[in-house]
Amino acid sequence: MEIFEIVTYFVLLLLVSTAVRVVTTSNVIHAAISLVFTLALTSVLFLLLSTEFVALVLVLVYIGAVIVLFLFGIMITRAPLGKNAELDNDKNKKLGAAIAGSIFFLFSYILVNGFDGEVIITSGSSTELLGEILLSRFVFPFELVSFVLLAALIGGITLARKDEALIDEDQV
Amino acid sequence: MIVQPVLVVAAALFSLGIYGILVRRNAVMVLLSIELILNSVNINFIMFDTMLADVLMQGQIFTIFIITIAAAEVGIGLAIVLMLFRNRQTANINEFDLMKW
C-alpha cells in the first residue's frame, strides 16, 4: 500500500507541473504537447482509482483526436511557431494570477476542511457493469449525445468551409 | 488513499485553466485552457464516484458524457476560430472587437 501512495503523489505532482506549463509556456506547440502529458497523467490517475474504461476513453478521445485537432488549429491559424513573446496579454497577467490564486485558495480551503479524513477504497475492475448501466438505464442520454456529436459535425463543416455558392449568388 | 490531495490538485487545474483563459491572447490557447478546466471536473467526478462507491456509477457515466461534449465543443470552437482567422487574418482574441459597443 505504501508504494501505491508514493506513485499517486508523484502522479499528482507531475500533473500540476505539466498543467502549469500548458498555461505559462510561450511556445504554442509546447503548450499542446504539455496538455498531452497532463491528459496522460490524468489517465494514469483514473487507472489508480480503478476506473480503467474512462482512462482508456480519455486516451482515445483526447490524446488521439482532440490534440490532433488542436495541432491542426495551431497550424491553420498560422500561430507563430517557436518562442513568441506576444502570446500572453501582459496587462492581464497580474489580474489573472490574482483571480486564479484566490479561486484556488477558496476551493482548497473549503475542500480540505469539508473532506477531512475521508479515504478512497478502490475496488476492482468495473467495466462490465459500467457497460450494462450505460446501455440500460442511461441509454437515452447516450443516444442523445450521439445526436449532439452529429450536430457538431454538421455545424463544424458548415462553419469552416468556404461557401462558394453563396458568393456566386451575390455576384449575379 | 486520502481524498484531499486529489481534490486540491483538481482545484489547482481549475484555477490554472481560469488563469490561461484570462491571460492568453491566442484563441486556440484559450480553448486549451478550457480543456484543463473540463479535465479538473472529470478528476472530481471520478474521484467521488470511487469514494462513494456508487452502485449506478453515475460519476463515470457523467465523465464519459463530458468527454464526448468536450470533443464536440473543440470541433465547433476551432471551426469558429478558423472562420475568424479567415475574415480577420489573426487569431488574437483582443483584436476581435467587432461586437464591442
Side-chain angles (χ1 to χ4, degrees):
Chain A
M1 218 53 189
E2 189 74 14
I3 188 91
F4 183 76
E5 300 227 324
I6 292 168
V7 170
T8 311
Y9 283 123
F10 189 61
V11 166
L12 290 176
L13 203 68
L14 280 177
L15 196 57
V16 174
S17 57
T18 51
V20 167
R21 211 169 142 61
V22 171
V23 291
T24 54
T25 179
S26 55
N27 187 328
V28 279
I29 299 290
H30 286 185
I33 301 297
S34 300
L35 190 69
V36 171
F37 283 114
T38 312
L39 294 167
L41 287 163
T42 311
S43 178
V44 173
L45 185 67
F46 288 178
L47 282 177
L48 288 170
L49 291 167
S50 80
T51 53
E52 68 281 335
F53 182 72
V54 184
L56 291 175
V57 166
L58 197 79
V59 171
L60 277 175
V61 175
Y62 265 106
I63 302 175
V66 170
I67 293 294
V68 175
L69 253 173
F70 270 123
L71 290 173
F72 264 120
I74 289 168
M75 309 233 172
I76 289 173
T77 56
R78 288 196 217 118
L81 305 180
K83 243 173 122 60
N84 179 14
E86 290 282 290
L87 199 62
D88 285 352
N89 202 344
D90 287 327
K91 268 191 296 182
N92 287 357
K93 244 179 187 169
K94 270 184 194 155
L95 185 69
I99 291 171
S102 48
I103 286 173
F104 173 65
F105 281 116
L106 187 69
F107 273 18
S108 23
Y109 178 77
I110 292 168
L111 289 169
V112 167
N113 281 312
F115 293 94
D116 197 19
E118 302 262 8
V119 285
I120 305 169
I121 299 147
T122 50
S123 51
S125 164
S126 53
T127 306
E128 193 184 345
L129 196 61
L130 180 70
E132 272 173 23
I133 293 168
L134 193 59
L135 289 177
S136 59
R137 192 189 161 100
F138 290 95
V139 70
F140 182 65
F142 184 75
E143 295 297 332
L144 203 67
V145 129
S146 70
F147 187 73
V148 168
L149 274 181
L150 177 70
L153 182 73
I154 296 169
I157 293 169
T158 318
L159 278 174
R161 75 173 187 150
K162 270 204 179 97
D163 211 341
E164 274 160 11
L166 212 74
I167 297 166
D168 287 348
E169 271 175 28
D170 286 347
Q171 284 167 346
V172 167
Chain B
M1 198 200 310
I2 317 164
V3 170
Q4 285 143 332
V6 186
L7 283 174
V8 170
V9 164
L13 286 190
F14 184 86
S15 41
L16 282 170
I18 297 274
Y19 174 79
I21 289 174
L22 291 173
V23 167
R24 289 301 205 191
R25 197 176 261 165
N26 189 317
V28 182
M29 292 293 110
V30 173
L31 285 176
L32 276 184
S33 307
I34 292 174
E35 293 307 310
L36 273 185
I37 291 183
L38 289 168
N39 203 33
S40 88
V41 174
N42 284 345
I43 291 174
N44 267 324
F45 263 122
I46 291 291
M47 202 219 60
F48 281 116
D49 180 80
T50 316
M51 190 188 101
L52 301 170
D54 185 14
V55 188
L56 276 176
M57 299 190 187
Q58 293 177 68
Q60 291 185 49
I61 286 164
F62 252 86
T63 309
I64 292 168
F65 286 155
I66 289 171
I67 290 171
T68 323
I69 301 293
E73 173 253 321
V74 168
I76 294 290
L78 283 175
I80 291 171
V81 172
L82 192 63
M83 206 176 66
L84 284 170
F85 177 75
R86 196 180 286 149
N87 287 328
R88 311 291 293 265
Q89 274 72 49
T90 177
N92 287 351
I93 38 175
N94 54 347
E95 286 169 48
F96 298 143
D97 50 3
L98 196 68
M99 288 170 88
K100 219 175 190 175
W101 191 49

